[in-house]
Amino acid sequence: MAKILENKKFENGYFLLKVDQGGEATPGQFYMLHPKDGGLLLPRPLSIFDQDKETTTFLIAVVGKGTKTLEDLHVGDPIEMEGPYGNGFEKPNGKKTLCIGGGTGIAPFYHMSKFWKDEDFSIRIGLRERSEELEEIFERASDSIEFVYGGFVTEKMSVENIDQMYTCGPIPMMKSVFEKRENLPVYISLEERMGCGFGACLACSCETKSGRKKTCVDGPVYSGEEMLWESK
Ligand SMILES: Cc1cc2nc3c(=O)[nH]c(=O)nc-3n(C[C@H](O)[C@H](O)[C@H](O)COP(=O)(O)OP(=O)(O)OC[C@H]3O[C@@H](n4cnc5c(N)ncnc54)[C@H](O)[C@@H]3O)c2cc1C
Ligand code: FES
Protein backbone atom coordinates (compact mmCIF):
# COMPACT_ATOMS: atom_id res chain seq x y z
CA MET A 1 0.00 0.00 0.00
CA ALA A 2 1.40 3.41 -0.99
CA LYS A 3 0.97 6.64 0.99
CA ILE A 4 0.06 10.14 -0.12
CA LEU A 5 3.03 12.52 0.16
CA GLU A 6 1.44 15.60 -1.40
CA ASN A 7 -1.93 16.71 -2.75
CA LYS A 8 -1.68 20.06 -4.49
CA LYS A 9 -4.77 21.66 -5.98
CA PHE A 10 -4.74 24.14 -8.87
CA GLU A 11 -7.38 26.77 -9.53
CA ASN A 12 -8.48 25.16 -12.82
CA GLY A 13 -9.81 21.91 -11.28
CA TYR A 14 -6.62 19.83 -11.61
CA PHE A 15 -4.57 18.47 -8.73
CA LEU A 16 -1.17 16.81 -8.33
CA LEU A 17 -1.12 13.65 -6.25
CA LYS A 18 2.31 12.43 -5.15
CA VAL A 19 2.71 8.96 -3.62
CA ASP A 20 5.64 7.18 -1.98
CA GLN A 21 5.91 4.42 -4.59
CA GLY A 22 8.39 4.97 -7.41
CA GLY A 23 9.64 3.16 -10.46
CA GLU A 24 11.09 3.56 -13.93
CA ALA A 25 7.99 3.44 -16.11
CA THR A 26 8.13 4.96 -19.59
CA PRO A 27 6.03 7.98 -20.68
CA GLY A 28 2.48 6.98 -21.61
CA GLN A 29 2.32 4.08 -19.16
CA PHE A 30 -0.29 4.26 -16.43
CA TYR A 31 -1.27 3.01 -12.99
CA MET A 32 -4.67 1.91 -11.70
CA LEU A 33 -5.48 3.94 -8.57
CA HIS A 34 -8.13 2.77 -6.14
CA PRO A 35 -10.19 5.65 -4.76
CA LYS A 36 -10.48 5.81 -0.94
CA ASP A 37 -13.76 3.90 -0.78
CA GLY A 38 -12.24 1.21 -2.99
CA GLY A 39 -14.99 -1.25 -2.07
CA LEU A 40 -17.51 0.90 -3.93
CA LEU A 41 -15.54 1.91 -6.97
CA LEU A 42 -13.40 0.36 -9.67
CA PRO A 43 -9.81 1.60 -9.83
CA ARG A 44 -9.19 4.53 -12.17
CA PRO A 45 -6.43 4.56 -14.85
CA LEU A 46 -4.02 7.50 -14.51
CA SER A 47 -0.92 8.32 -16.53
CA ILE A 48 2.38 9.03 -14.88
CA PHE A 49 3.04 12.76 -14.68
CA ASP A 50 6.39 12.37 -12.95
CA GLN A 51 8.36 9.54 -11.39
CA ASP A 52 11.64 8.74 -9.68
CA LYS A 53 12.84 5.65 -7.85
CA GLU A 54 10.94 6.57 -4.65
CA THR A 55 7.88 8.54 -5.78
CA THR A 56 5.23 8.83 -8.49
CA THR A 57 3.12 11.91 -9.23
CA PHE A 58 -0.20 12.04 -11.07
CA LEU A 59 -1.87 15.12 -12.57
CA ILE A 60 -5.60 14.57 -12.30
CA ALA A 61 -8.65 16.48 -13.53
CA VAL A 62 -11.75 16.11 -11.40
CA VAL A 63 -14.47 14.83 -13.74
CA GLY A 64 -16.60 12.52 -11.57
CA LYS A 65 -16.91 10.51 -8.38
CA GLY A 66 -13.64 8.56 -8.62
CA THR A 67 -11.40 11.55 -9.32
CA LYS A 68 -13.25 13.61 -6.66
CA THR A 69 -12.57 10.85 -4.11
CA LEU A 70 -8.88 10.94 -5.05
CA GLU A 71 -8.86 14.74 -4.74
CA ASP A 72 -10.15 14.43 -1.16
CA LEU A 73 -7.15 12.33 -0.03
CA HIS A 74 -4.85 13.84 2.59
CA VAL A 75 -1.10 13.59 3.16
CA GLY A 76 -0.43 10.30 4.98
CA ASP A 77 -3.56 8.54 3.67
CA PRO A 78 -2.97 5.06 2.22
CA ILE A 79 -3.66 4.45 -1.46
CA GLU A 80 -3.71 1.21 -3.40
CA MET A 81 -2.07 1.46 -6.82
CA GLU A 82 -1.25 -1.18 -9.40
CA GLY A 83 1.08 -0.89 -12.35
CA PRO A 84 2.80 0.36 -14.33
CA TYR A 85 0.60 -0.98 -17.10
CA GLY A 86 0.35 -0.61 -20.87
CA ASN A 87 2.67 0.24 -23.72
CA GLY A 88 3.75 3.87 -23.63
CA PHE A 89 5.19 6.08 -26.35
CA GLU A 90 8.41 5.04 -28.09
CA LYS A 91 11.56 6.99 -27.45
CA PRO A 92 11.87 9.42 -30.41
CA ASN A 93 15.59 8.65 -30.94
CA GLY A 94 16.38 11.97 -32.59
CA LYS A 95 13.07 12.49 -34.42
CA LYS A 96 11.66 15.98 -33.85
CA THR A 97 8.38 15.27 -32.12
CA LEU A 98 5.36 17.52 -31.75
CA CYS A 99 3.28 16.51 -28.69
CA ILE A 100 -0.33 17.64 -28.43
CA GLY A 101 -2.16 17.10 -25.17
CA GLY A 102 -5.61 18.20 -24.09
CA GLY A 103 -7.89 17.89 -21.06
CA THR A 104 -7.08 14.78 -19.02
CA GLY A 105 -4.36 13.79 -21.53
CA ILE A 106 -1.58 16.23 -20.71
CA ALA A 107 0.31 14.29 -18.00
CA PRO A 108 2.44 12.01 -20.26
CA PHE A 109 4.07 15.01 -21.96
CA TYR A 110 5.51 16.38 -18.73
CA HIS A 111 6.90 12.93 -17.91
CA MET A 112 8.29 12.70 -21.44
CA SER A 113 10.12 16.03 -21.35
CA LYS A 114 11.87 14.99 -18.14
CA PHE A 115 12.38 11.28 -18.87
CA TRP A 116 13.81 11.86 -22.37
CA LYS A 117 15.26 15.29 -21.70
CA ASP A 118 17.85 15.06 -24.49
CA GLU A 119 15.20 14.47 -27.18
CA ASP A 120 13.76 17.24 -29.37
CA PHE A 121 10.12 17.88 -28.34
CA SER A 122 7.77 20.77 -28.85
CA ILE A 123 4.57 20.62 -26.83
CA ARG A 124 1.10 22.13 -27.27
CA ILE A 125 -1.25 21.90 -24.32
CA GLY A 126 -4.96 22.66 -24.65
CA LEU A 127 -6.95 23.41 -21.50
CA ARG A 128 -10.31 24.96 -20.81
CA GLU A 129 -9.03 27.17 -17.99
CA ARG A 130 -5.64 28.59 -17.14
CA SER A 131 -3.58 27.84 -14.06
CA GLU A 132 -0.43 29.97 -13.90
CA GLU A 133 1.13 27.58 -11.40
CA LEU A 134 0.56 24.57 -13.64
CA GLU A 135 1.94 26.53 -16.60
CA GLU A 136 5.11 27.29 -14.64
CA ILE A 137 5.55 23.62 -13.73
CA PHE A 138 5.39 22.59 -17.40
CA GLU A 139 7.66 25.44 -18.46
CA ARG A 140 10.32 24.29 -16.02
CA ALA A 141 10.44 20.92 -17.80
CA SER A 142 10.29 22.17 -21.39
CA ASP A 143 11.52 25.30 -23.16
CA SER A 144 9.35 24.61 -26.19
CA ILE A 145 5.81 24.62 -24.90
CA GLU A 146 2.66 26.50 -25.89
CA PHE A 147 -0.66 26.68 -24.05
CA VAL A 148 -4.01 27.17 -25.73
CA TYR A 149 -6.92 28.06 -23.43
CA GLY A 150 -10.57 27.58 -24.22
CA GLY A 151 -9.99 27.07 -27.95
CA PHE A 152 -8.88 24.36 -30.35
CA VAL A 153 -5.34 23.25 -29.63
CA THR A 154 -4.89 22.17 -33.26
CA GLU A 155 -5.76 25.63 -34.62
CA LYS A 156 -2.68 27.41 -36.04
CA MET A 157 -0.68 24.24 -35.35
CA SER A 158 2.33 24.06 -37.66
CA VAL A 159 3.97 20.75 -38.55
CA GLU A 160 6.88 22.35 -40.40
CA ASN A 161 10.19 20.58 -39.65
CA ILE A 162 8.38 17.98 -37.54
CA ASP A 163 9.13 14.26 -38.00
CA GLN A 164 6.26 12.74 -35.99
CA MET A 165 3.42 13.60 -33.61
CA TYR A 166 2.32 12.20 -30.25
CA THR A 167 -1.12 13.02 -28.92
CA CYS A 168 -3.29 12.25 -25.89
CA GLY A 169 -6.65 13.69 -24.89
CA PRO A 170 -10.24 13.89 -26.13
CA ILE A 171 -11.03 11.88 -29.29
CA PRO A 172 -12.14 14.93 -31.38
CA MET A 173 -8.81 16.61 -30.60
CA MET A 174 -6.77 13.51 -31.55
CA LYS A 175 -8.87 13.10 -34.71
CA SER A 176 -8.07 16.68 -35.66
CA VAL A 177 -4.33 16.04 -35.04
CA PHE A 178 -4.56 12.98 -37.30
CA GLU A 179 -6.34 14.96 -40.04
CA LYS A 180 -3.65 17.65 -39.97
CA ARG A 181 -0.72 15.20 -40.03
CA GLU A 182 0.39 15.93 -43.61
CA ASN A 183 1.64 12.32 -43.96
CA LEU A 184 3.63 12.41 -40.73
CA PRO A 185 3.37 9.40 -38.40
CA VAL A 186 0.95 10.09 -35.51
CA TYR A 187 0.86 8.07 -32.29
CA ILE A 188 -2.23 8.43 -30.15
CA SER A 189 -2.85 7.45 -26.55
CA LEU A 190 -6.44 6.32 -25.97
CA GLU A 191 -8.18 7.13 -22.69
CA GLU A 192 -10.71 4.27 -22.86
CA ARG A 193 -12.72 3.45 -19.76
CA MET A 194 -11.02 0.63 -17.87
CA GLY A 195 -11.96 -1.96 -15.27
CA CYS A 196 -8.85 -3.99 -14.42
CA GLY A 197 -5.90 -2.50 -16.33
CA PHE A 198 -4.27 -5.86 -17.11
CA GLY A 199 -6.36 -7.57 -19.80
CA ALA A 200 -8.92 -9.52 -17.75
CA CYS A 201 -12.25 -7.66 -18.06
CA LEU A 202 -12.57 -6.38 -21.69
CA ALA A 203 -13.90 -3.01 -20.47
CA CYS A 204 -11.28 -1.19 -22.58
CA SER A 205 -11.93 -3.08 -25.82
CA CYS A 206 -11.43 -1.00 -28.97
CA GLU A 207 -12.00 -1.69 -32.66
CA THR A 208 -8.91 -1.22 -34.88
CA LYS A 209 -8.03 -2.03 -38.49
CA SER A 210 -6.36 -5.23 -37.23
CA GLY A 211 -9.32 -6.34 -35.09
CA ARG A 212 -10.42 -5.75 -31.52
CA LYS A 213 -7.71 -4.70 -29.07
CA LYS A 214 -7.55 -4.35 -25.32
CA THR A 215 -6.33 -0.82 -24.72
CA CYS A 216 -4.81 -1.65 -21.32
CA VAL A 217 -2.41 -4.25 -22.72
CA ASP A 218 -2.23 -3.55 -26.49
CA GLY A 219 -2.26 0.24 -25.92
CA PRO A 220 -2.91 2.79 -24.68
CA VAL A 221 -0.58 4.07 -27.43
CA TYR A 222 -1.52 3.10 -30.98
CA SER A 223 -0.49 4.26 -34.41
CA GLY A 224 -3.11 6.71 -35.69
CA GLU A 225 -3.17 4.70 -38.94
CA GLU A 226 -4.43 1.67 -37.00
CA MET A 227 -7.52 3.48 -35.68
CA LEU A 228 -10.97 3.09 -37.15
CA TRP A 229 -11.69 6.78 -36.64
CA GLU A 230 -15.28 6.49 -37.89
CA SER A 231 -16.03 4.09 -34.97
CA LYS A 232 -14.79 6.61 -32.39
C1 LIG B 1 -4.53 5.09 -19.88
C2 LIG B 1 -5.30 6.23 -19.27
C3 LIG B 1 -4.61 7.27 -18.68
C4 LIG B 1 -5.30 8.33 -18.09
N1 LIG B 1 -4.58 9.33 -17.51
C5 LIG B 1 -5.21 10.36 -16.91
C6 LIG B 1 -4.45 11.39 -16.27
O1 LIG B 1 -3.23 11.38 -16.24
N2 LIG B 1 -5.16 12.39 -15.66
C7 LIG B 1 -6.53 12.42 -15.65
O2 LIG B 1 -7.10 13.35 -15.08
N3 LIG B 1 -7.26 11.46 -16.26
C8 LIG B 1 -6.64 10.44 -16.89
N4 LIG B 1 -7.37 9.44 -17.49
C9 LIG B 1 -8.85 9.54 -17.46
C10 LIG B 1 -9.35 9.09 -16.11
O3 LIG B 1 -9.08 7.72 -15.93
C11 LIG B 1 -10.87 9.35 -16.00
O4 LIG B 1 -11.12 10.73 -16.07
C12 LIG B 1 -11.39 8.80 -14.69
O5 LIG B 1 -11.34 7.39 -14.68
C13 LIG B 1 -12.83 9.24 -14.48
O6 LIG B 1 -13.29 8.68 -13.27
P1 LIG B 1 -14.41 9.41 -12.42
O7 LIG B 1 -15.00 8.40 -11.49
O8 LIG B 1 -13.91 10.68 -11.81
O9 LIG B 1 -15.47 9.85 -13.49
P2 LIG B 1 -16.78 9.06 -13.92
O10 LIG B 1 -17.86 9.38 -12.94
O11 LIG B 1 -16.45 7.65 -14.21
O12 LIG B 1 -17.07 9.82 -15.27
C14 LIG B 1 -17.26 11.24 -15.33
C15 LIG B 1 -17.46 11.66 -16.77
O13 LIG B 1 -16.27 11.42 -17.52
C16 LIG B 1 -16.52 10.47 -18.57
N5 LIG B 1 -15.38 9.54 -18.59
C17 LIG B 1 -14.87 8.84 -17.54
N6 LIG B 1 -13.81 8.11 -17.91
C18 LIG B 1 -13.65 8.33 -19.22
C19 LIG B 1 -12.75 7.86 -20.19
N7 LIG B 1 -11.77 7.02 -19.89
N8 LIG B 1 -12.90 8.30 -21.46
C20 LIG B 1 -13.87 9.15 -21.79
N9 LIG B 1 -14.76 9.65 -20.92
C21 LIG B 1 -14.66 9.25 -19.65
C22 LIG B 1 -17.81 9.77 -18.20
O14 LIG B 1 -18.51 9.32 -19.33
C23 LIG B 1 -18.56 10.87 -17.48
O15 LIG B 1 -19.20 11.74 -18.38
C24 LIG B 1 -6.72 8.37 -18.10
C25 LIG B 1 -7.42 7.32 -18.70
C26 LIG B 1 -6.71 6.26 -19.27
C27 LIG B 1 -7.45 5.12 -19.90
S1 FES C 1 -9.23 -2.78 -18.48
FE1 FES C 1 -9.77 -4.85 -18.16
S2 FES C 1 -9.19 -5.76 -20.06
FE2 FES C 1 -8.49 -3.72 -20.25
Side-chain angles (χ1 to χ4, degrees):
M1 188 75 80
K3 264 206 182 111
I4 306 295
L5 295 176
E6 193 184 337
N7 184 346
K8 180 173 178 41
K9 297 176 190 14
F10 299 107
E11 63 271 39
N12 63 352
Y14 285 71
F15 64 101
L16 276 181
L17 198 68
K18 187 172 188 176
V19 302
D20 69 349
Q21 185 178 311
E24 287 183 322
T26 55
Q29 285 196 290
F30 64 94
Y31 283 83
M32 298 297 282
L33 259 63
H34 292 255
K36 200 159 50 177
D37 49 353
L40 298 174
L41 290 163
L42 287 170
R44 297 295 192 257
L46 292 155
S47 304
I48 297 150
F49 175 75
D50 199 8
Q51 190 170 54
D52 57 35
K53 288 200 175 104
E54 284 84 37
T55 68
T56 306
T57 306
F58 301 94
L59 176 66
I60 306 172
V62 179
V63 297
K65 193 176 171 193
T67 43
K68 176 71 189 126
T69 312
L70 292 170
E71 191 200 28
D72 290 341
L73 289 168
H74 297 105
V75 170
D77 281 349
I79 177 141
E80 200 180 320
M81 59 187 263
E82 293 153 20
Y85 289 139
N87 296 306
F89 289 98
E90 274 194 21
K91 189 174 181 189
N93 285 323
K95 290 185 193 140
K96 182 155 176 55
T97 305
L98 173 60
C99 303
I100 304 110
T104 55
I106 65 177
F109 301 121
Y110 181 86
H111 188 205
M112 201 173 269
S113 33
K114 283 187 77 181
F115 194 84
W116 292 320
K117 54 180 180 304
D118 296 330
E119 295 286 346
D120 191 359
F121 293 114
S122 48
I123 302 174
R124 283 175 82 80
I125 297 285
L127 290 175
R128 246 184 240 146
E129 284 173 50
R130 186 174 183 202
S131 158
E132 259 178 63
E133 252 183 302
L134 192 55
E135 226 177 72
E136 279 167 22
I137 290 172
F138 268 94
E139 280 167 353
R140 278 202 294 271
S142 168
D143 52 12
S144 179
I145 185 158
E146 205 174 327
F147 290 86
V148 178
Y149 293 106
F152 294 102
V153 70
T154 51
E155 228 173 70
K156 298 187 189 147
M157 179 183 85
S158 164
V159 295
E160 213 181 310
N161 301 322
I162 296 292
D163 297 317
Q164 61 178 0
M165 292 193 273
Y166 290 171
T167 182
C168 182
I171 294 290
M173 182 202 84
M174 296 201 289
K175 210 169 182 174
S176 169
V177 171
F178 187 70
E179 281 161 2
K180 295 184 173 184
R181 70 192 179 285
E182 296 184 8
N183 291 326
L184 295 176
V186 179
Y187 296 91
I188 66 159
S189 183
L190 278 190
E191 292 194 329
E192 294 285 348
R193 303 205 113 208
M194 291 188 180
C196 67
F198 53 83
C201 73
L202 300 183
C204 63
S205 171
C206 142
E207 197 70 63
T208 71
K209 286 183 185 158
S210 48
R212 285 199 88 75
K213 298 274 166 109
K214 293 178 191 171
T215 295
C216 63
V217 287
D218 300 315
V221 176
Y222 296 91
S223 155
E225 297 292 343
E226 218 191 317
M227 281 299 103
L228 282 173
W229 288 102
E230 58 282 11
S231 73
K232 290 272 150 223

